[in-house]
Amino acid sequence: MAQPEWKSWLTAPQRAVFLQSLQAVFDARGLQVSISSDALVMGDIAVDLLTLAQRCAQAEVADYPQVIEANIDDLLLSC
């Protein structure tokens, strides 16, 4: 089984921070999400992790939470 494309954008340590940051952002908002191999699922909404991974790959690891927050806020506002 091939790995999801989003993983190719980040090193293993970056992926760990990425996934921890994703969970922390949603936990801080009290939102229930599940993270599958290639998507973040929030109720009826599925978010492809590729775009988030690409954006995080362009940022410093310490900035992942802010990058994710901004993207999630945009997503939630568009729903």
Side-chain angles (χ1 to χ4, degrees):
M1 184 168 142
Q3 78 173 2
E5 185 178 356
W6 72 266
K7 288 186 175 183
S8 67
W9 284 84
L10 304 168
T11 65
Q14 289 172 317
R15 286 193 299 267
V17 173
F18 176 73
L19 292 171
Q20 290 168 352
S21 298
L22 273 173
Q23 193 64 55
V25 166
F26 284 98
D27 287 350
R29 288 168 169 72
L31 298 171
Q32 296 294 322
V33 298
S34 61
I35 300 171
S36 72
S37 63
D38 60 352
L40 177 79
V41 180
M42 186 174 37
D44 294 337
I45 302 168
V47 178
D48 182 15
L49 292 176
L50 178 59
T51 301
L52 282 174
Q54 289 170 331
R55 290 181 180 162
C56 284
Q58 297 173 10
E60 295 294 323
V61 173
D63 295 332
Y64 285 9
Q66 293 82 8
V67 171
I68 292 168
E69 284 176 359
N71 284 277
I72 297 305
D73 287 344
D74 289 345
L75 173 70
L76 293 174
L77 289 172
S78 68
C79 294

